[in-house]
Amino acid sequence: MTREEAQLILGVYRPGTSDADDPFFAEALALALTDQELGRWFADEQSFDQIIATNLSAATSNIPEPPAALLESLRSAPGADRVVSWNFRRALALAACVALLAALATYALVPRGFDSSVSLADFRSEMVGFVKIPPSLELETTDLAEVRSYLRANSRVRAVSVPDGTGELPPIGCRTLVFRGHPVALICFKREDGELVHLLAAPRDAIGELASLPKPAYAAVGDWATASWTTDDQIYLLATKGNREKLQEYL
């Protein structure tokens, strides 16, 4: 799939919906995680769509309902259907224009690379969506020191801190990803039963207004268990297939 083909597909992607599990989007989403230019475009596209949706919703919700007696009077007048219908469409069009202008102004003022609407749930969902199928790795090795060395040289994420329990598992390799324009480092480990444990690290500002998480915050994503925590400048996500008790073995 080319970058242009992926853009056509991702142009209709709806974040936070069942689109995340729709095979139609799978290849394009995977490409957006590996192609930095496409990843930045996709992040900007989603940010802009979110701003438009928020402002349009706010604008249209503020259109007052006309009094019932007035509506009835208008409907009973000759040619009322055409007048009321035209005025209603004009009101909606005006609201949409106001929302669009407000969105454009807001978008222009938002610092690039930071989107306050991006949540930890977004990060968790998109990263688990990527690793559900064993990802292709840029480096395949069972040597954790080699993994660390590769990420230091090839990732904009600083040194990744591996939890003690996870560090006891043999790694199988690593790769770099992009989340909404931000770099992500991924290290994959093999469990005793052959399943994988995935450790992902990104700059903390990849998530919007993220509160400090000194202790792991657990959440299930389908049949996957995840744990998230922060350091001073990074956000971590540990994910594996199974329940919370299984995941806790690696923390």
Side-chain angles (χ1 to χ4, degrees), residues 142-159:
T142 58
D143 186 339
L144 187 56
E146 191 175 351
V147 166
R148 294 181 188 275
S149 177
Y150 178 87
L151 290 176
R152 279 195 299 269
N154 296 278
S155 172
R156 289 183 288 145
V157 178
R158 70 172 182 81

Side-chain angles (χ1 to χ4, degrees), residues 164-186:
D164 291 342
T166 308
E168 295 177 359
L169 299 174
I172 64 169
C174 63
R175 66 166 300 146
T176 58
L177 313 173
V178 177
F179 170 73
R180 310 290 180 92
H182 295 273
V184 180
L186 166 66

Side-chain angles (χ1 to χ4, degrees), residues 24-224:
F24 175 74
F25 296 100
E27 186 177 356
L29 287 171
L31 186 59
L33 290 171
T34 59
D35 184 317
Q36 291 193 0
E37 183 174 336
L38 178 62
R40 284 191 292 269
W41 172 87
F42 187 40
D44 288 344
E45 187 81 0
Q46 289 189 301
S47 298
F48 185 68
D49 286 350
Q50 181 60 47
I51 292 169
I52 290 290
T54 300
N55 282 276
L56 183 58
S57 176
T60 54
S61 66
N62 289 329
I63 299 175
E65 286 290 331
L70 176 59
L71 271 179
E72 185 59 33
S73 175
L74 288 171
R75 289 191 182 108
S76 63
D81 289 345
R82 292 191 298 275
V83 174
V84 173
S85 175
W86 182 83
N87 282 335
F88 179 70
R89 288 198 299 270
R90 188 174 72 165
L92 282 183
L94 180 60
C97 289
V98 170
L100 179 59
L101 289 173
L104 289 170
T106 304
Y107 186 70
L109 293 173
V110 174
R112 309 307 291 155
F114 178 83
D115 181 357
S116 60
S117 68
V118 176
S119 68
L120 177 57
D122 294 329
F123 180 67
R124 183 190 299 127
S125 176
E126 291 187 27
M127 293 300 98
V128 170
F130 178 76
V131 300
K132 275 183 177 180
I133 300 173
S136 59
L137 301 174
E138 296 168 350
L139 173 69
E140 295 185 13
T141 179
T142 58
D143 186 339
L144 187 56
E146 191 175 351
V147 166
R148 294 181 188 275
S149 177
Y150 178 87
L151 290 176
R152 279 195 299 269
N154 296 278
S155 172
R156 289 183 288 145
V157 178
R158 70 172 182 81
V160 178
S161 178
V162 178
D164 291 342
T166 308
E168 295 177 359
L169 299 174
I172 64 169
C174 63
R175 66 166 300 146
T176 58
L177 313 173
V178 177
F179 170 73
R180 310 290 180 92
H182 295 273
V184 180
L186 166 66
I187 306 177
C188 301
F189 299 85
K190 182 172 286 189
R191 292 183 353 193
E192 304 84 344
D193 59 2
E195 294 286 349
L196 299 180
V197 178
H198 304 279
L199 177 66
L200 301 112
R204 188 165 166 176
D205 63 4
I207 314 298
E209 300 294 340
L210 179 64
S212 178
L213 296 171
K215 294 183 179 180
Y218 295 93
V221 180
D223 56 353
W224 284 65

